[in-house]
Amino acid sequence: MSTEAAALALQDHAALWSMGEIRATDVVTGACDALVAGLDSPALRMLAACTRAEADYDVPDLLPPALDELGLTFHPVSIVHLEVAGQGAGVRAVWCARAGRRRMASA
């Protein structure tokens, strides 16, 4: 995965988490994937180091600075932001799911 794709995936994880669509542990996994892809920042390392037991408590505090250090946008939870934050992530999730089904069908 390229660093650009990893950054986009992490931002999508943040948006989906803020809408309650994925768990905090999924955000931690996304942070780990971002590190493996070559993204790096102090807050990203702290986020990736969260255990499953810590994720629900620590992700709300660690995610915004991790995204900020990477120059990414975080959309906090609010009614106004839900549509903006989730629209791009939701569209990409649907597109990826459909693309995956097409690849599986053609194999």
Side-chain angles (χ1 to χ4, degrees):
M1 177 183 306
S2 71
T3 55
E4 293 83 12
L8 183 60
L10 183 60
Q11 192 162 342
D12 286 350
H13 276 78
L16 292 169
W17 171 77
S18 74
M19 296 179 349
E21 295 296 320
I22 63 171
R23 300 172 307 206
T25 54
D26 297 322
V27 174
V28 173
T29 300
C32 293
D33 293 343
L35 284 172
V36 170
L39 294 176
D40 193 21
S41 79
L44 181 64
R45 284 183 240 138
M46 291 175 62
L47 181 60
C50 286
T51 65
R52 288 181 184 174
E54 299 167 333
D56 286 332
Y57 301 103
D58 290 343
V59 166
D61 293 329
L62 295 174
L63 182 59
L67 294 174
D68 185 56
E69 289 174 2
L70 296 170
L72 302 173
T73 304
F74 178 64
H75 300 281
V77 178
S78 75
I79 298 301
V80 173
H81 289 111
L82 285 178
E83 184 176 337
V84 173
Q87 191 173 28
V91 168
R92 280 188 289 278
V94 169
W95 183 85
C96 288
R98 288 181 180 166
R101 282 194 296 252
R102 275 186 256 147
R103 273 187 248 129
M104 291 173 63
S106 65

